[in-house]
Amino acid sequence: MIRIDAKKGPQFCDGFSRRDFIHAGSLPLLGLTYPGFLAAKAGASTEDNDVNCIMLFLVGGPSHIDTWDPKPNAPEEIRGPFKTIQTKAPGIRITEIFPKLANHMDKVSLVRSVYHTASAVHDTGHQMMQTGRLFSGGIEHPHAGCVVSYLKGQRGEVPSHVLIPKPIGRTGGNLPHGHTAGYLGKQYDPFILDADPSAKDFKVPDLLPPDYITSIRADRRRKLRDSVDANVAAFEKDSKSKQFDDNFNLAYKLMTSPKAREAFALNQETDAMRDRYGRTRFGQSCLLARRLIERGVRFVTVNMFETVFDEITWDIHGSRPFTDITEMSRLVAPNFDQAFSALMDDLSERGLLKNTVVTALGEFGRTPKINPAGGRDHHPGVWTILMGGGPIKGGRVVGESDELGYAPKTRPILPGEVAATIFKVFNLDPHHELPGPQGRPMPLVDFNLNPIRELF
Amino acid sequence: MRNNLFVGHSFVQAFMLLFFFCAPVHAGQVKVFPDAIELQGRGELHSVFVALMQEDAVIGDLSGSASFVSSDEKIFTVDPSGKVKAISDGEAILNVKTKLGDSTARVTVKNTQAAKRISFENEIIPAFTRAGCNSGACHGALAGKGGLKLSLRGYDPAADLFVLTRQANARRVDWAKPESSLLLEKVSLKLPHGGGKKIPVDHPDFNLIRDWISQGALPSTKVEPRIASLEIIPGKLRLKPGDKLRVIARAKYTDGGIRDVSHWARFSSSEEQVATVDQDGFVNVLGNGEASVIALFGNHSGLGAIVSPYSNKLPSDYFAKSLRSNFIDEFILGKLQELQLPTSGQASDQEFIRRLFLDMAGILPTEKELDDFLKDTRANKREHLVDSLIKRPETTDYWAYKWSDMLLISTRNLNQQSVWAFYQFVRKAIADNIPWDKFVHSILTVKGSNLSQGAANYFVLHKDVTDLMETTAVTFMGMSLTCARCHNHPMEKWTQDQYWGMASLFARVGIKNGESLNEIFVETYPVGDVLHPRKGIPMPATPLDAQSMSANSPEDPRDVFSKWLTARENPFFARAIVNRIWRNFMGRGLIEAEDDLRATNPASNPALLDALCEDFIKDGYDTKKLMRKIVLSAAYQRSSVPNSMNESDDRFYSRFLPRRLKAEILLDACSEVTGVPTPFNQILSRAGDAKTAYAGYPNGLRALQLPDASVASRFLDAFGRPERAQACSCERQQDSSVGQALHVFNGNTLNEKLRSRDFVGVKWVGENLANTKIVERVFLRALSRKPNDGELARFLKIMGEADSKDPKARQEAIEDLVWAVLTSKEFVFNH
């Protein structure tokens, strides 16, 4: 299947001589014998001592009381319908809807006192939990993964930050969600998968050229494209056209790198492995995240849902178009429970957990008092996030909410401190200054915020 | 000795004082803002701003280094920072001395004898708001906090008064010992308080709340003055990076009184890259350009403009000599002069024709159209070009598509028949050049079948009254009222009552099934209410800031709304459409985003926007006349090549802003250049997750001629076509992405066109056209210009490497040539 159909050897503009393209149909077959897999593995996360991160974004905002911060002694209208269960970590109890997670609590810690003070819409929480800051004055801050891309660069040919499956869409507030590189520039934006890994015919859209485009032709196309330059002056200072070119270069790198393509080839995973994560969009996204980390991606963001409207999500207002508590416990929680547990097991079995931090977080908690529709509304006053892997110790609880789950009782923690923790994991000084808009120095997180030391 | 002259209160002296203040201020002079202060009640405070002036502009703050003396300390005192304090009734002078000169302000003190009744709404709620007590994160949350629930930022004073003084057995206030009131002990952290220390014991607001309680914790009276407006002084500052100063927020009340409310207002900056502002009004200038300092207080907002000119040294007659073709240029050059931003040169004829065709009609000029235009020797040939293009059906297609985006015409929410009816209504209105006010009126007041009256589908799309009202506000006023559904708008003056008053105007829209499956009748019911969710009663139907309809009025509320909306005096209607059309051509709205018009989001050139609106109304809401004026301005016809001095300008129109072609235009342009149309033969399911075959669109139909946005196309999705799901300009994605690049590299859209039997290259190979000619024709078709020598040489060299005897090799080389041009920045961007 490898074709060199040229008289001259294939030469690429960037000076690298590469094997011919591997064509779409042959990829899985080839992957099995491809010696690059081991090389990829060696060249990836185990080569440097850098830690990686998988951020599972629980879009909608899980109810802390119904999940990981139960209040069994609170009045009925607060404690909700679920019983609590003992976990593998002594003294930590969570609700009964996460039986598998309970078995992994020794690997994961809970931070039960995260809160924010901005308006209680999804979008603000998305901004703060992904970037550490609320957007104001027209400045868009970079996602933590984009900061990592910017400061650490790409490992080999795989993108350094991948977003699966799609950016968070409409959630009502009409504000940016913070998945981009913001002021760092579009070249540090995540690579967006834009496909559903659980789909039968899943593949990264347009990753491979059609079979009639040989490497000779692709190279000729690139050379010709670079030759259109009479009007270059109109564009060289223009950020939008620079972004356009950067994306072209990145696309070219991706499509010409067997290693990069192989990283996305989810069909190389066994059926048993795919079943283990659950055949849901989120389950397969988690599996793909593991696969990408294994092959050198530094940061993977997995959005559990794309929107909170007309989807069964964590956004349990109780009435349509949202979800109610029962649907959440029947559909959302088991989906998360299975995928998260499989991910922790799988990473641990492959020796990747020691240098991969996994965090599962939402944009806020939910009102302690159950509303008349039988649901709970937005409550940024306090909520719980999960963190484990890498240097993060498992089996701990940091902070606590008050008896009714309204506000932090001890150790209140702001989203910026969660971001600072992620930066510390990457060995980055959380107060390292980035070049902000117009060269204004911008620390990774504000100077008064520090990593959550109790997790280390 | 001027200082002594004004002591006392004689008429003559007051007259002389007036005379003095009318004298013009000269460069380098010192001026006090405000120059007249009126203090009501003993102890009232007011800060001043000591300005260094240059002509009429404030260019510096001398307040920090000035010394302040009261001419009569029995009337008022002044502290070293310049804050004056009322002592007793009378008038006296504040003398200000600085190294650069001296100035004065007149201080009038009134009502110090009368016991002052503290106002719950004008003083106590603002104090709580400033401390954050009633914010969304604290007691203003829907569920309150810690058992205390206040209305968000005090929008419901009656409820707040009840909660503070009556609820929980009235334990929150201590009438006998006001300073021991629970609420004061909490805010000062004498007792544990989850929110921490919000108002310390020695704080003026602590004393204010204590005194209010000792007066009986009374509500505001009906006759009490209400806040009428808010201003920032100085209102306009010309500064440079590094400058630091403090601005003052002043509220005007309905009785004419004015107070310094800087200590209660919330400040923010519209452009933090130019200037930041902190909670006390301290401004820090960081960059060049313009920023607005925004103060919010009691549902009103005030703006102060900060201009930080670029440090370019331009000849003094630079702007006088600049090219101008109509009133638009006067305003733009005025702004550029203020900022010292030089313009780029003018665009060439080739650049102009391509730019105009893409922006006005979404098409590329053909080789012949280009040639004709270049050969035209008339002095006003650009005007002729505009006039012929504006009448063409492609222009109608383009604007029909654009307004269909805005009106959300899509099989996502409507059936095929309805989509066609709605689309044809829009398209016909554009073809007939129906004035914008008539067009909108005909939508908002439509009655009858949605199949015969296409506009009726507007009401089919928005059946819910809140959705209908909010969408109408965004679509036709560029304004989001959504926040006010549940509470007063935090960034605007709109109240929840006003929201529901507006909603009442739409409460009587009736929808019933028609005679066929897809038919729906829209009518107006004789009665119908929508209840204010908090008050549980319907609000009288009232357009924003206008008269309510009387309850027994025979008029259709939709007529009332539409008349109000399309009236000349309506401050939102013309602005919204003018800004949208401006943005279409100029690449950036005078207000960004184009549908985010609000008092706290100022225009980059407010005078120009006003002038455009006035002109548009004078022209009878004729959108095509407006388009014509915009594209004939020198500003539209500037080159997109920046110079070293204006390259950072992205909003004052010193150069043409390059922008990526919209998804549909880019796809059509690829079809045009390759000669291969795009098949549109599948439509998406309502959820967007499945496709079904559809044979209703003829081969050769351009993407911009589609009536529906739910037509399957990976290309259009990758390049950010809007879904038409909600009224928001944010739906259209204009950013580039790796996915787009991968699609043009590897996807089937472009590759299939190049491999098609209809591909123009097939014909050229058949005609045995020389490579030189082929390269030239590709450039002319795609880029509206010939290749330059360097480009031609490089292209010929690369193409020459293919075997010229082998037609297949030659054909492939041409495919690659066209691919390269169609993916180049010059093609993908309008510039």
Side-chain angles (χ1 to χ4, degrees):
Chain A
M1 291 294 285
I2 295 179
R3 301 179 316 177
I4 311 280
D5 53 357
K7 287 165 195 145
K8 302 172 213 162
Q11 285 286 318
F12 287 89
C13 300
D14 54 8
F16 290 98
S17 177
R18 295 212 180 94
R19 248 169 284 218
D20 198 4
F21 291 123
I22 303 157
H23 295 288
S26 66
L27 183 61
L29 209 163
L30 200 73
L32 293 176
T33 56
Y34 184 53
F37 171 60
L38 290 175
K41 214 174 151 182
S45 45
T46 46
E47 192 179 70
D48 51 32
N49 289 324
D50 281 356
V51 172
N52 313 294
C53 180
I54 298 174
M55 179 188 273
L56 308 174
F57 210 101
L58 311 180
V59 178
S63 158
H64 52 297
I65 291 179
D66 296 317
T67 58
W68 310 301
D69 188 12
K71 300 290 173 192
N73 301 321
E76 194 184 349
E77 70 270 24
I78 287 174
R79 79 173 171 259
F82 309 120
K83 294 196 204 55
T84 67
I85 51 173
Q86 180 57 48
T87 68
K88 205 168 170 187
I92 303 183
R93 295 184 77 84
I94 59 176
T95 64
E96 59 187 342
I97 61 178
F98 300 102
K100 294 195 168 95
L101 172 64
N103 242 337
H104 290 82
M105 275 315 299
D106 56 327
K107 299 195 199 82
V108 193
S109 289
L110 299 173
V111 183
R112 280 178 171 162
S113 51
V114 182
Y115 76 105
H116 80 66
T117 57
S119 62
V121 293
H122 295 278
D123 318 42
T124 56
H126 297 153
Q127 291 174 2
M128 286 186 277
M129 295 309 284
Q130 298 196 91
T131 74
R133 283 189 175 90
L134 183 67
F135 294 4
S136 73
I139 297 179
E140 292 191 14
H141 296 277
H143 185 294
C146 300
V147 172
V148 169
S149 287
Y150 176 81
L151 292 174
K152 298 247 167 195
Q154 198 167 325
R155 264 197 207 115
E157 286 147 350
V158 290
S160 53
H161 177 200
V162 179
L163 192 161
I164 309 173
K166 281 182 180 190
I168 301 172
R170 214 155 55 91
T171 55
N174 221 345
L175 304 168
H177 299 275
H179 74 269
T180 72
Y183 59 73
L184 288 177
K186 296 283 177 187
Q187 64 269 42
Y188 301 104
D189 275 356
F191 176 75
I192 297 171
L193 184 70
D194 199 21
D196 176 358
S198 69
K200 263 206 193 77
D201 53 352
F202 164 71
K203 59 176 185 165
V204 186
D206 303 323
L207 186 62
L208 294 173
D211 55 6
Y212 50 83
I213 306 294
T214 60
S215 67
I216 306 292
R217 292 192 65 189
D219 188 37
R220 179 165 70 193
R221 285 183 169 193
R222 224 168 90 105
K223 277 192 205 153
L224 288 165
R225 183 174 181 271
D226 290 340
S227 296
V228 184
D229 66 357
N231 261 359
V232 74
F235 298 116
E236 60 187 357
K237 298 282 183 187
D238 186 79
S239 63
K240 287 193 193 111
S241 66
K242 186 170 179 320
Q243 172 201 352
F244 183 73
D245 258 6
D246 289 340
N247 281 315
F248 252 83
N249 292 333
L250 194 59
Y252 192 73
K253 255 189 198 167
L254 269 178
M255 59 190 261
T256 52
S257 155
K259 208 158 119 184
R261 289 195 312 269
E262 198 263 353
F264 289 97
L266 203 54
N267 52 2
Q268 291 183 23
E269 298 288 344
T270 62
D271 271 353
M273 181 59 79
R274 298 192 71 166
D275 290 343
R276 184 179 186 184
Y277 279 81
R279 296 274 183 164
T280 61
R281 186 177 54 188
F282 180 65
Q284 297 301 300
S285 295
C286 288
L287 172 58
L288 182 59
R290 187 271 290 158
R291 199 175 161 84
L292 291 169
I293 290 287
E294 197 172 33
R295 282 156 182 81
V297 175
R298 294 180 185 276
F299 204 111
V300 181
T301 304
V302 177
N303 288 325
M304 188 159 178
F305 303 104
E306 193 188 339
T307 160
V308 293
F309 302 108
D310 301 314
E311 246 194 292
I312 310 292
T313 73
W314 299 103
D315 199 21
I316 51 167
H317 290 287
S319 54
R320 291 287 156 209
F322 307 102
T323 312
D324 66 30
I325 297 185
T326 318
E327 281 175 333
M328 185 272 283
S329 70
R330 271 190 324 113
L331 297 164
V332 184
N335 184 3
F336 174 79
D337 198 35
Q338 178 170 4
F340 184 83
S341 307
L343 179 63
M344 296 306 281
D345 277 340
D346 196 10
L347 287 172
S348 153
E349 285 159 18
R350 286 163 190 261
L352 289 166
L353 192 60
K354 64 177 186 298
N355 64 351
T356 304
V357 168
V358 180
T359 178
L361 40 82
E363 60 269 39
F364 42 48
R366 308 205 72 89
T367 43
K369 200 168 162 188
I370 293 176
N371 68 23
R376 300 186 196 260
D377 302 318
H378 304 173
H379 185 74
V382 72
W383 77 100
T384 302
I385 67 162
L386 287 73
M387 255 190 173
I392 305 284
K393 297 284 184 295
R396 296 185 179 176
V397 172
V398 179
E400 53 185 335
S401 62
D402 60 28
E403 288 68 19
L404 302 180
Y406 269 101
K409 184 174 167 192
T410 56
R411 188 70 171 102
I413 284 170
L414 284 164
E417 295 172 87
V418 176
T421 309
I422 293 172
F423 292 130
K424 181 179 161 67
V425 157
F426 280 93
N427 244 333
L428 297 171
D429 172 5
H431 302 131
H432 175 84
E433 288 181 332
L434 298 172
Q438 293 206 334
R440 174 178 165 195
M442 193 75 83
L444 298 190
V445 298
D446 287 336
F447 286 106
N448 56 345
L449 301 177
N450 290 296
I452 307 167
R453 59 182 189 285
E454 298 93 321
L455 287 172
F456 292 89
Chain B
M1 290 303 289
R2 203 162 67 204
N3 294 356
N4 297 331
L5 201 64
F6 297 108
V7 178
H9 316 292
S10 82
F11 174 75
V12 175
Q13 281 163 340
F15 181 77
M16 288 172 72
L17 180 89
L18 200 66
F19 177 76
F20 174 77
F21 277 103
C22 289
V25 181
H26 294 296
Q29 270 200 341
V30 174
K31 188 177 166 186
V32 179
F33 285 85
D35 56 12
I37 299 169
E38 191 179 283
L39 300 173
Q40 302 253 12
R42 190 175 167 83
E44 174 75 7
L45 300 168
H46 200 302
S47 295
V48 295
F49 182 95
V50 185
L52 178 64
M53 307 292 295
Q54 192 177 60
E55 283 141 19
D56 286 342
V58 177
I59 59 162
D61 180 7
L62 303 170
S63 312
S65 60
S67 62
F68 302 92
V69 179
S70 164
S71 68
D72 186 349
E73 298 221 329
K74 290 197 285 294
I75 309 280
F76 76 90
T77 58
V78 59
D79 76 1
S81 74
K83 192 179 275 182
V84 299
K85 184 178 183 182
I87 303 295
S88 64
D89 285 13
E91 197 171 294
I93 296 299
L94 172 67
N95 292 300
V96 180
K97 280 190 193 310
T98 76
K99 277 185 205 144
L100 298 168
D102 303 344
S103 188
T104 61
R106 182 174 40 138
V107 178
T108 312
V109 178
K110 286 182 181 166
N111 300 333
T112 51
Q113 304 306 319
K116 192 177 156 213
R117 174 170 164 167
I118 294 166
S119 160
F120 180 63
E121 291 178 32
N122 286 335
E123 297 177 288
I124 300 302
I125 287 181
F128 284 135
T129 306
R130 171 59 185 258
C133 306
N134 53 20
S135 71
C138 292
H139 302 290
L142 201 58
K145 275 278 185 308
L148 170 64
K149 177 184 169 0
L150 297 172
S151 64
L152 186 67
R153 298 198 182 92
Y155 68 85
D156 190 355
D160 291 346
L161 185 77
F162 173 81
V163 164
L164 292 172
T165 64
R166 296 283 183 278
Q167 203 187 38
N169 299 325
R171 73 192 187 103
R172 291 178 178 130
V173 292
D174 186 333
W175 315 90
K177 225 176 144 203
E179 65 275 16
S180 304
S181 293
L182 180 64
L183 79 92
L184 284 170
E185 305 224 301
K186 283 277 190 180
V187 295
S188 59
L189 208 55
K190 273 196 203 157
L191 287 176
H193 178 217
K197 190 187 278 190
K198 288 296 175 191
I199 307 177
V201 175
D202 50 355
H203 194 278
D205 285 344
F206 183 94
N207 300 338
L208 185 78
I209 296 167
R210 180 198 59 208
D211 295 347
W212 170 69
I213 296 171
S214 64
Q215 286 179 3
L218 299 170
S220 283
T221 62
K222 289 242 165 27
V223 296
E224 208 174 275
R226 307 279 146 169
I227 174 171
S229 65
L230 189 68
E231 63 168 2
I232 284 186
I233 54 171
K236 188 164 180 183
L237 297 136
R238 195 166 75 217
L239 302 168
K240 54 188 184 309
D243 282 350
K244 290 181 168 57
L245 51 91
R246 186 184 175 206
V247 294
I248 299 168
R250 298 210 305 171
K252 287 191 179 156
Y253 292 84
T254 45
D255 64 348
I258 298 178
R259 289 185 81 170
D260 178 352
V261 293
S262 307
H263 52 298
W264 287 329
R266 288 183 298 140
F267 292 96
S268 59
S269 162
S270 67
E271 276 308 319
E272 294 200 339
Q273 303 173 30
V274 177
T276 57
V277 61
D278 78 0
Q279 274 315 296
D280 296 312
F282 282 100
V283 172
N284 195 353
V285 182
L286 298 172
N288 301 111
E290 277 196 350
S292 288
V293 172
I294 301 156
L296 293 168
F297 175 68
N299 242 42
H300 284 258
S301 60
L303 257 57
I306 292 176
V307 181
S308 171
Y310 290 81
S311 55
N312 302 322
K313 294 278 168 283
L314 300 174
S316 56
D317 60 347
Y318 180 90
F319 290 98
K321 283 186 184 163
S322 299
L323 193 65
R324 48 212 350 123
S325 51
N326 56 31
F327 70 95
I328 292 170
D329 290 311
E330 299 299 337
F331 288 98
I332 287 185
L333 291 169
K335 177 62 78 182
L336 294 176
Q337 180 162 18
E338 192 176 7
L339 288 162
Q340 288 293 296
L341 274 170
T343 60
S344 292
Q346 294 301 109
S348 68
D349 279 347
Q350 284 107 316
E351 285 169 329
F352 176 72
I353 184 174
R354 186 178 191 271
R355 177 187 297 178
L356 179 73
F357 270 57
L358 289 168
D359 282 343
M360 178 84 86
I363 53 172
L364 291 169
T366 62
E367 289 170 80
K368 178 167 188 312
E369 283 159 348
L370 174 66
D371 194 45
D372 289 348
F373 179 61
L374 295 179
K375 284 191 182 134
D376 189 342
T377 52
R378 289 174 293 184
N380 58 349
K381 68 178 187 176
R382 291 192 182 189
E383 213 172 322
H384 283 288
L385 185 72
V386 170
D387 289 338
S388 72
L389 181 65
I390 210 163
K391 292 191 207 105
R392 283 175 50 170
E394 292 92 335
T395 300
T396 306
D397 294 336
Y398 178 91
W399 292 94
Y401 198 91
K402 191 170 172 72
W403 300 150
S404 298
D405 275 352
M406 194 180 78
L407 293 167
L408 311 180
I409 303 177
S410 161
T411 49
R412 163 188 264 278
N413 296 311
L414 294 170
N415 59 56
Q416 280 287 347
Q417 258 182 303
S418 309
V419 161
W420 275 106
F422 202 176
Y423 175 77
Q424 293 296 10
F425 160 80
V426 172
R427 197 176 189 290
K428 185 168 188 316
I430 293 160
D432 297 346
N433 199 24
I434 304 292
W436 187 251
D437 55 339
K438 303 267 181 322
F439 174 66
V440 174
H441 184 77
S442 66
I443 296 173
L444 293 176
T445 59
V446 67
K447 288 194 182 85
S449 158
N450 70 324
L451 300 182
S452 61
Q453 308 279 320
N457 289 294
Y458 184 73
F459 295 94
V460 179
L461 278 173
H462 308 292
K463 292 193 184 84
D464 175 78
V465 65
T466 55
D467 174 35
L468 175 58
M469 192 281 275
E470 290 172 20
T471 302
T472 303
V474 172
T475 307
F476 303 115
M477 299 194 280
M479 179 192 287
S480 172
L481 292 175
T482 310
C483 297
R485 194 196 305 168
C486 305
H487 48 73
N488 292 353
H489 200 302
M491 299 292 283
E492 273 279 36
K493 62 177 179 173
W494 312 123
T495 64
Q496 192 184 12
D497 290 356
Q498 282 179 297
Y499 176 101
W500 290 98
M502 279 279 276
S504 291
L505 289 160
F506 297 93
R508 285 163 53 190
V509 178
I511 301 259
K512 65 176 190 188
N513 289 336
E515 284 148 16
S516 67
L517 182 64
N518 290 333
E519 190 173 47
I520 291 173
F521 274 98
V522 173
E523 56 190 23
T524 297
Y525 291 146
V527 289
D529 280 333
V530 51
L531 300 185
H532 187 305
R534 183 161 48 84
K535 299 186 170 170
I537 50 163
M539 300 304 290
T542 318
L544 293 176
D545 282 349
Q547 284 292 313
S548 300
M549 279 179 77
S550 74
N552 44 17
S553 163
E555 269 189 295
D556 182 341
R558 283 195 282 152
D559 283 334
V560 173
F561 174 75
S562 180
K563 274 185 206 151
W564 168 82
L565 178 71
T566 58
R568 294 176 70 92
E569 303 75 40
N570 186 296
F572 316 110
F573 182 64
R575 279 169 88 79
I577 183 63
V578 165
N579 192 50
R580 283 187 198 271
I581 291 176
W582 177 268
R583 188 182 193 283
N584 179 78
F585 290 102
M586 302 303 289
R588 186 183 165 101
L590 284 161
I591 297 173
E592 276 284 313
E594 68 181 60
D595 46 12
D596 189 19
L597 274 57
R598 57 185 149 84
T600 47
N601 184 21
S604 62
N605 192 335
L608 171 58
L609 184 53
D610 289 346
L612 283 164
C613 290
E614 195 182 313
D615 189 68
F616 176 63
I617 294 170
K618 206 179 77 212
D619 278 343
Y621 296 88
D622 186 329
T623 50
K624 287 196 174 166
K625 281 190 181 161
L626 173 65
M627 294 174 197
R628 192 177 179 280
K629 284 176 189 174
I630 293 172
V631 298
L632 288 175
S633 69
Y636 179 73
Q637 297 182 25
R638 269 197 257 289
S639 165
S640 54
V641 181
N643 53 47
S644 60
M645 291 182 277
N646 72 3
E647 64 189 26
S648 64
D649 168 31
D650 65 356
R651 65 194 60 187
F652 301 110
Y653 313 105
S654 63
R655 63 192 169 99
F656 187 82
L657 297 171
R659 77 247 6 200
R660 204 200 76 209
L661 299 184
K662 290 176 186 145
E664 301 84 351
I665 298 176
L666 187 58
L667 181 56
D668 287 344
C670 288
S671 306
E672 183 65 25
V673 175
T674 55
V676 185
T678 311
F680 295 108
N681 48 21
Q682 286 185 311
I683 52 175
L684 296 168
S685 66
R686 291 198 168 189
D689 48 6
K691 296 170 198 165
T692 46
Y694 181 76
Y697 299 122
N699 195 28
L701 193 80
R702 290 180 298 117
L704 271 180
Q705 293 173 314
L706 291 169
D708 179 11
S710 283
V711 177
S713 166
R714 166 114 188 106
F715 186 97
L716 294 179
D717 288 342
F719 282 89
R721 153 180 71 173
E723 276 185 69
R724 298 187 183 171
Q726 61 165 355
C728 179
S729 62
C730 59
E731 271 203 341
R732 182 178 285 284
Q733 293 284 320
Q734 282 293 93
D735 279 342
S736 309
S737 70
V738 179
Q740 290 164 10
L742 284 172
H743 186 67
V744 295
F745 266 122
N746 305 329
N748 54 17
T749 312
L750 184 53
N751 284 321
E752 291 300 322
K753 285 185 194 299
L754 298 172
R755 278 175 24 109
S756 163
R757 270 179 305 177
D758 300 325
F759 175 50
V760 66
V762 176
K763 205 176 81 192
W764 290 338
V765 171
E767 292 167 0
N768 212 6
L769 208 62
N771 278 352
T772 317
K773 198 71 195 159
I774 290 175
V775 174
E776 187 174 292
R777 290 200 63 185
V778 172
F779 268 66
L780 287 171
R781 287 166 80 93
L783 307 176
S784 306
R785 67 171 175 94
K786 287 185 178 173
N788 63 26
D789 292 346
E791 286 171 330
L792 188 61
R794 283 192 297 274
F795 273 80
L796 291 177
K797 177 170 178 291
I798 299 168
M799 290 182 72
E801 286 163 9
D803 187 349
S804 60
K805 300 283 184 317
D806 176 0
K808 182 168 174 283
R810 192 140 188 258
Q811 159 87 24
E812 285 183 353
I814 297 170
E815 288 172 21
D816 294 347
L817 157 70
V818 174
W819 184 91
V821 173
L822 294 188
T823 58
S824 69
K825 279 179 298 209
E826 190 177 343
F827 179 76
V828 174
F829 280 73
N830 191 8
H831 48 86

